[in-house]
Amino acid sequence: MLYRQQRYQEARSTAEQIIAAYPDSQAAQRAQFLRGLIAAEQQDAARLRAAIAEIGDTTDGRLQADRMELAGHLALLERRYDASVAEFIESAQLRSAASDYRGTVRALAKAGKASEAAGNPGQASVHYLRAGRSALHQGARERAYALLSEAQILAESAGDADTAREAGGEREQHG
């Protein structure tokens, strides 16, 4: 909640308390993810790398998705856009398989952002369209509308009439 309210200092402090109290727990690994997200928001590559390393290699699908999402953020910070998109897409697939649909939307939207940063509005529009559709399925209409609007705008700028029509149709049908 603190993270979503952009109260990053308090969120980081809470995460560090969890890590200190339960160092080898899954809660500590999730807190590392939160620390990584905060580092990404603050464009702090060193702390982001540290959070990725702390999550480490794992067979837990959700933690793998967390690690890949953070790796996507790091690649985005480092302007390695293709790698960033690939990490976010892999994270979205893992999250979808684990029924983490909110996380799926977030990862797909980040893939869109990375594609935009790479100067590929056509690819970005497809990622935003997928994220918008996923948000619709969750009932997150406001978020879906914003993502679908972005998809339509980018698709139109890229000359992708089909994706623009799909995004616009989804917005009209559910708006």
Side-chain angles (χ1 to χ4, degrees), residues 21-41:
Y22 309 100
D24 295 324
S25 69
Q26 189 173 35
Q29 288 178 311
R30 294 292 297 159
Q32 288 294 355
F33 176 62
L34 178 60
R35 288 176 68 193
L37 289 177
I38 294 166
E41 287 290 331

Side-chain angles (χ1 to χ4, degrees), residues 12 34-45 47-48 77:
R12 184 182 7 244
L34 178 60
R35 288 176 68 193
L37 289 177
I38 294 166
E41 287 290 331
Q42 297 178 331
Q43 298 186 351
D44 186 338
R47 283 189 176 174
L48 184 50
L77 279 176

Side-chain angles (χ1 to χ4, degrees), residues 34-165:
L34 178 60
R35 288 176 68 193
L37 289 177
I38 294 166
E41 287 290 331
Q42 297 178 331
Q43 298 186 351
D44 186 338
R47 283 189 176 174
L48 184 50
R49 278 188 201 90
I52 293 167
E54 286 297 323
I55 292 174
D57 292 329
T58 178
T59 57
D60 181 289
R62 186 177 178 117
L63 293 174
Q64 285 176 336
D66 289 351
R67 189 172 197 282
M68 293 188 138
E69 187 170 332
L70 294 180
H73 282 288
L74 182 60
L76 186 58
L77 279 176
E78 294 173 343
R79 294 186 169 96
R80 294 181 296 113
Y81 301 120
D82 290 342
S84 179
V85 171
E87 295 286 358
F88 286 130
I89 293 299
E90 182 68 24
S91 176
Q93 290 170 343
L94 288 168
R95 292 188 186 293
S96 181
S99 301
D100 175 7
Y101 302 117
R102 176 187 235 171
T104 301
V105 170
R106 185 182 59 242
L108 288 171
K110 289 295 183 175
K113 179 180 178 180
S115 296
E116 267 189 281
N120 191 338
Q123 183 184 53
S125 70
V126 172
H127 297 310
Y128 285 128
L129 175 62
R130 290 181 59 210
R133 284 180 173 159
S134 187
L136 278 175
H137 291 296
Q138 295 174 58
R141 296 171 64 93
E142 188 174 314
R143 175 80 168 133
Y145 189 83
L147 291 164
L148 293 168
S149 294
E150 191 68 20
Q152 185 175 11
I153 291 166
L154 289 171
E156 288 170 354
S157 75
D160 182 351
D162 291 339
T163 300
R165 189 171 30 259

